Amino acid sequence: MTIQFSSRVANLKSSFIRDILTASQQPDVISFAGGLPDPRLFPMSALHQASEKVFQTWGGCAFQYGATQGLEVLRAYIAENLIHDVALTTDQLMITTGSQQGLHIVAECLLNPGDGVIVEAPSYLGALQVFASTGASVHSLQSDAEGPLMSSLESLLKTRRIKLIYCLPNFQNPTGKTYSLSRRQELSALLKNYPEVILLEDDPYYSLSYTGPSLPSLFSLLPGQSVRLCSFSKSIAPSFRLGWLQASGHLLGRFLKYKQIADLHSSGFLQALLVEFLQMDTLDSHLRRLREVYANRLDLMTEVLTTRLGNQLVFAKPSGGMFLWCQLRNPALNSSLLFKQAMAQKVAFVPSQAFYATHPNYGALRLNFTHSDDSKIKEGIHRLAKLF
Amino acid sequence: MTIQFSSRVANLKSSFIRDILTASQQPDVISFAGGLPDPRLFPMSALHQASEKVFQTWGGCAFQYGATQGLEVLRAYIAENLIHDVALTTDQLMITTGSQQGLHIVAECLLNPGDGVIVEAPSYLGALQVFASTGASVHSLQSDAEGPLMSSLESLLKTRRIKLIYCLPNFQNPTGKTYSLSRRQELSALLKNYPEVILLEDDPYYSLSYTGPSLPSLFSLLPGQSVRLCSFSKSIAPSFRLGWLQASGHLLGRFLKYKQIADLHSSGFLQALLVEFLQMDTLDSHLRRLREVYANRLDLMTEVLTTRLGNQLVFAKPSGGMFLWCQLRNPALNSSLLFKQAMAQKVAFVPSQAFYATHPNYGALRLNFTHSDDSKIKEGIHRLAKLF
């Protein structure tokens, strides 16, 4: 029997990264591959207290079916305490089952086959897969150190039927790049001339800035025309599978209808646990500790890389996030082939090929610096150095 | 600015039931509308113990990113202890974010616009909405007391390009009907002649049989060609948003790829909590208690209905599940209009109109008997009786 799958999934490949992750999860491999936080830094004791509070004071109501949009008290906390650059009501927020679900919902609600989507090159693989499944036409944007080039964006907007622009303005995955303030302003000013285009701002690393306060979100500069996705996966813990989506009402209403058919609502128990955790007022001190440790690991990794591999790799040190993007100086080298040699040395990274929708580039490596401790960072770079 | 939404959601209506649920959640309304379990019966103390165990023994690894397919130990428990009619390996199981997500994934992976789907008339509204969003052509099946009529099914299979058949064989939502053993056998025998058609068996109420052991699942009679969805929402608690999907490998592999883009994976913390709860071996005694209470409520509701409304309503007492389907004896009455009068009397139900993909029927009411206690059941039926 041959099953005819839908066109959505007929060509959907398993995530290259997930395959690499599986390979790199052998216990003796030092993995810089996954986008994983360090589980030793999860706020376990505060989460445990929060869980006790839910069992003691919420009781059965935390375990019943709930509203698709998410708990009002959680949305109110987010609006008041976690969004500083724009005033939002709880009506403009929706709780999602991780920000991956937010991405999927927005794409499903806005994209018909053939519609144009603009992405950065390179960009987050999970987003490229979502866009591919909708049958949209994906166009790649050129960038410099400050963010997307306006000339490249305007030329696409003028010549293609564009519906959506997907941006990661803070500590981009995979490059670690952050858009400058002036580039954010230019981008939102340009998009005001194309009111039918929606800007999708993916901001999962917003709480991981190592050099001071974050710049204003694109959403705050273009509120009626944009959607912002945030996650608790990097700031608290991934397995909560909780994030939020910001959008104006005319968009959010449609997203809610789609979320209803996708999973009814996100876990009310986990939302209650998150509310109790947030109300303990330990998030700020937790994030300060997280940023301190991760910033030190980034410092260490860039130092060791410069010493051991400075003649082989070029990188710009990111100001936040989880990733360091290292370009190979030797244009004859291919990072996908290098990956196989690296696995033989028991060290893993993600080769650049994975992050391109069109015209793959084989000339770079994505290294995660948040999951491994200092000694593993040193040993892992030492193993990497043997490849050259 | 006018947003052009995708064709998936352009015509997606907000669930009529969700609107009714909102109306019926006023505190002085007695609601037989929602498909809600009684939160006073959630196994809170065992869940609390299980949560303690996760914090004490699993630690950070329960909070990290996890595998898309779900925890191996949870899938092994399900295969060994919760599936009795067919031998499955953990490879044939996938953990879903509620069985609603299972439904969404199967539909998205199998249905292109225009593909044919067969549903019972009436059927679960959440499934009808999912099928509508894919652009599939939905065809309604005729049934009798034993389940779908084979003549009706065969005629659709012969004349339409059918891809999927959606069945709720146990205590169907909304009718409470259960397919007889012989009808299950006829159905699977017939479908063997149509190997390109997938049977989607939705079985959320499998643990709520009030009259003895369940009949063999359709999946067990047609394993290579069917997908079965189960849920922990009715047996443990809805807010876990955990269910499972059974399918053979060639189907499951594709579903996994789609789940990966939809939400990466279901909460690992909740899966760990569920594993600890299940390993306490209290599920059976919990389910015995649940079935006892719910069966008593069903007895009470049918008694009071017979006494108070026997001359107005006809119903067949279901052998399990959560719903009683009451047909109006007077063909001139319309249950959607009756609903408005009921709300004035502070009692709610779901009018039959909501459950039809084609040719709506206005002649019945769906009453939930699991959420209200005895005194509310009596008072609610008393209020209903005032409408006639």
Side-chain angles (χ1 to χ4, degrees):
Chain A
M1 173 186 46
T2 307
I3 302 292
Q4 288 282 325
F5 290 99
S6 72
S7 53
R8 284 173 208 94
V9 295
N11 300 311
L12 194 61
K13 291 181 180 60
S14 180
S15 161
F16 185 43
I17 289 199
R18 300 290 281 197
D19 298 341
I20 286 178
L21 285 182
T22 306
S24 65
Q25 267 163 7
Q26 299 160 35
D28 53 346
V29 168
I30 293 178
S31 179
F32 302 135
L36 302 181
D38 186 341
R40 288 161 295 195
L41 298 173
F42 292 156
M44 296 302 292
S45 134
L47 290 174
H48 192 174
Q49 270 180 267
S51 167
E52 282 304 290
K53 198 88 184 281
V54 175
F55 278 102
Q56 281 159 21
T57 63
W58 293 61
C61 81
F63 291 87
Q64 186 58 287
Y65 283 110
T68 302
Q69 194 160 359
L71 289 182
E72 172 81 21
V73 58
L74 178 56
R75 287 182 285 124
Y77 187 96
I78 293 168
E80 283 162 32
N81 299 284
L82 303 182
I83 300 168
H84 304 293
D85 55 5
V86 61
L88 286 182
T89 64
T90 55
D91 288 349
Q92 295 166 295
L93 292 172
M94 164 170 125
I95 303 300
T96 59
T97 306
S99 66
Q100 181 73 32
Q101 186 188 47
L103 199 52
H104 188 237
I105 289 174
V106 172
E108 286 282 308
C109 288
L110 292 173
L111 299 173
N112 277 320
D115 282 345
V117 183
I118 297 176
V119 301
E120 295 170 83
S123 188
Y124 169 50
L125 174 61
L128 301 182
Q129 289 178 306
V130 166
F131 299 141
S133 79
T134 66
S137 300
V138 180
H139 306 283
S140 295
L141 197 54
Q142 289 165 35
S143 302
D144 63 14
E146 288 194 55
L149 291 177
M150 291 307 104
S151 55
S152 168
L153 178 57
E154 193 158 17
S155 133
L156 286 169
L157 288 167
K158 277 187 175 157
T159 58
R160 312 289 176 148
R161 195 165 49 82
I162 300 300
K163 199 72 168 288
L164 194 69
I165 302 181
Y166 175 69
C167 294
L168 285 145
N170 288 323
F171 333 121
Q172 201 241 17
N173 179 358
T175 62
K177 210 184 272 185
T178 293
Y179 300 4
S180 68
L181 178 60
S182 60
R183 196 60 60 83
R184 288 169 196 243
Q185 289 161 338
E186 287 162 34
L187 176 62
S188 50
L190 175 59
L191 285 178
K192 282 178 185 150
N193 302 327
Y194 298 87
E196 73 288 0
V197 175
I198 301 293
L199 173 67
L200 176 56
E201 177 179 32
D202 196 1
D203 203 3
Y205 313 109
Y206 70 100
S207 52
L208 297 181
S209 170
Y210 308 136
T211 55
S214 292
L215 294 169
S217 65
L218 298 173
F219 184 95
S220 70
L221 301 172
L222 194 70
Q225 205 179 325
S226 54
V227 179
R228 179 168 175 250
L229 303 176
C230 286
S231 172
F232 292 103
S233 294
K234 323 299 178 190
S235 55
I236 303 180
S239 99
F240 276 79
R241 309 307 306 125
L242 289 176
W244 78 82
L245 179 155
Q246 305 168 203
S248 54
H250 66 297
L251 287 166
L252 199 102
R254 211 60 74 108
F255 299 156
L256 273 175
K257 286 174 192 169
Y258 194 82
K259 176 164 172 70
Q260 192 176 299
I261 65 167
D263 69 357
L264 298 182
H265 63 88
S266 300
S267 168
F269 171 61
L270 291 180
Q271 290 183 65
L273 209 167
L274 195 53
V275 166
E276 291 298 340
F277 172 83
L278 292 168
Q279 287 178 347
M280 287 164 70
D281 273 338
T282 57
L283 180 64
D284 278 349
S285 63
H286 166 65
L287 288 176
R288 270 197 302 276
R289 161 106 178 108
L290 210 58
R291 285 190 287 257
E292 190 191 323
V293 174
Y294 288 167
N296 285 338
R297 289 180 183 173
L298 172 61
D299 285 346
L300 176 68
M301 187 179 268
T302 53
E303 277 167 36
V304 184
L305 274 172
T306 304
T307 310
R308 304 291 308 255
L309 282 162
N311 58 342
Q312 297 288 346
L313 300 172
V314 190
F315 56 84
K317 189 172 173 179
S319 58
M322 304 174 88
F323 302 113
L324 191 62
W325 182 249
C326 299
Q327 290 176 280
L328 293 162
R329 286 186 192 270
N330 180 349
L333 288 176
N334 175 320
S335 61
S336 295
L337 299 179
L338 220 50
F339 172 75
K340 292 180 188 164
Q341 299 168 34
M343 283 307 294
Q345 295 291 338
K346 306 285 183 192
V347 60
F349 57 83
V350 182
S352 49
Q353 171 194 6
F355 304 106
Y356 291 83
T358 58
H359 311 92
N361 160 17
Y362 299 90
L365 295 64
R366 190 192 76 176
L367 302 181
N368 167 275
F369 56 83
T370 58
H371 186 251
S372 304
D373 62 19
D374 289 1
S375 69
K376 287 207 167 152
I377 288 174
K378 284 183 208 162
E379 173 60 22
I381 303 296
H382 174 73
R383 292 182 191 177
L384 270 186
K386 291 187 200 163
L387 307 181
F388 296 91
Chain B
M1 173 188 44
T2 308
I3 302 292
Q4 290 282 325
F5 290 99
S6 72
S7 53
R8 283 173 209 95
V9 295
N11 299 311
L12 193 61
K13 290 181 181 60
S14 180
S15 161
F16 186 43
I17 290 201
R18 300 290 284 195
D19 297 343
I20 286 178
L21 284 182
T22 306
S24 65
Q25 269 162 4
Q26 298 161 35
D28 53 346
V29 169
I30 293 177
S31 178
F32 302 134
L36 301 182
D38 186 342
R40 288 161 297 193
L41 298 172
F42 293 154
M44 296 302 292
S45 134
L47 290 174
H48 192 172
Q49 271 180 266
S51 167
E52 281 304 291
K53 199 90 185 281
V54 175
F55 277 102
Q56 280 159 22
T57 63
W58 294 60
C61 80
F63 292 87
Q64 185 60 286
Y65 283 109
T68 301
Q69 193 160 0
L71 290 182
E72 171 82 21
V73 59
L74 177 57
R75 287 181 285 125
Y77 187 96
I78 292 168
E80 284 162 33
N81 299 283
L82 303 182
I83 300 168
H84 304 294
D85 55 4
V86 61
L88 286 180
T89 63
T90 56
D91 286 349
Q92 294 165 296
L93 292 171
M94 163 170 126
I95 304 301
T96 59
T97 306
S99 65
Q100 181 72 32
Q101 186 188 47
L103 199 51
H104 188 238
I105 289 174
V106 173
E108 287 281 309
C109 287
L110 292 173
L111 299 173
N112 277 320
D115 282 344
V117 183
I118 297 177
V119 301
E120 294 170 83
S123 189
Y124 169 50
L125 174 61
L128 302 182
Q129 290 178 306
V130 166
F131 299 141
S133 79
T134 65
S137 299
V138 181
H139 306 283
S140 295
L141 198 53
Q142 290 165 33
S143 303
D144 64 13
E146 288 195 56
L149 291 176
M150 290 306 105
S151 55
S152 169
L153 179 56
E154 193 158 17
S155 133
L156 286 169
L157 288 168
K158 277 184 174 156
T159 58
R160 313 289 175 148
R161 194 165 49 81
I162 300 300
K163 199 73 169 286
L164 195 70
I165 302 181
Y166 174 69
C167 293
L168 284 144
N170 289 323
F171 334 121
Q172 201 242 16
N173 179 0
T175 62
K177 209 183 276 186
T178 294
Y179 299 5
S180 68
L181 179 59
S182 59
R183 196 61 59 85
R184 288 170 196 241
Q185 289 162 339
E186 286 161 37
L187 177 61
S188 50
L190 176 58
L191 285 178
K192 282 179 186 151
N193 303 326
Y194 298 88
E196 73 288 0
V197 175
I198 301 293
L199 173 67
L200 177 56
E201 177 179 33
D202 196 2
D203 203 2
Y205 313 110
Y206 71 98
S207 53
L208 297 181
S209 169
Y210 309 135
T211 56
S214 292
L215 294 169
S217 64
L218 299 172
F219 183 93
S220 70
L221 301 172
L222 194 70
Q225 205 178 326
S226 54
V227 179
R228 181 169 174 248
L229 303 176
C230 285
S231 172
F232 292 104
S233 295
K234 322 300 179 190
S235 55
I236 304 180
S239 98
F240 276 78
R241 310 309 305 122
L242 290 177
W244 79 80
L245 180 156
Q246 304 169 204
S248 54
H250 66 299
L251 286 166
L252 199 101
R254 212 61 72 109
F255 299 156
L256 273 174
K257 286 174 191 170
Y258 194 82
K259 177 163 171 69
Q260 191 175 299
I261 66 167
D263 68 357
L264 298 183
H265 64 89
S266 299
S267 168
F269 171 60
L270 291 180
Q271 291 183 65
L273 208 167
L274 195 54
V275 165
E276 291 298 340
F277 172 83
L278 292 168
Q279 288 179 346
M280 287 164 71
D281 273 338
T282 57
L283 180 64
D284 279 348
S285 63
H286 166 65
L287 287 176
R288 272 197 300 277
R289 163 106 178 108
L290 210 57
R291 285 191 287 256
E292 189 191 324
V293 175
Y294 289 167
N296 285 339
R297 288 181 184 172
L298 172 62
D299 286 346
L300 177 68
M301 188 179 267
T302 54
E303 276 167 36
V304 184
L305 274 172
T306 304
T307 310
R308 304 292 308 255
L309 282 163
N311 58 342
Q312 297 288 347
L313 300 172
V314 191
F315 55 84
K317 188 172 172 179
S319 58
M322 304 174 89
F323 303 113
L324 191 61
W325 181 249
C326 300
Q327 290 177 279
L328 292 161
R329 285 186 192 270
N330 181 348
L333 288 176
N334 175 320
S335 61
S336 296
L337 299 177
L338 220 51
F339 173 75
K340 291 181 189 164
Q341 298 169 33
M343 284 306 294
Q345 295 292 339
K346 305 284 184 194
V347 60
F349 57 83
V350 182
S352 49
Q353 171 193 6
F355 304 106
Y356 291 84
T358 58
H359 311 93
N361 160 16
Y362 299 91
L365 296 64
R366 190 193 75 176
L367 301 182
N368 166 276
F369 55 83
T370 57
H371 185 250
S372 303
D373 62 20
D374 289 1
S375 69
K376 286 207 166 153
I377 287 174
K378 286 182 207 162
E379 173 59 22
I381 303 296
H382 174 73
R383 293 182 191 176
L384 269 185
K386 291 186 199 163
L387 306 182
F388 294 92

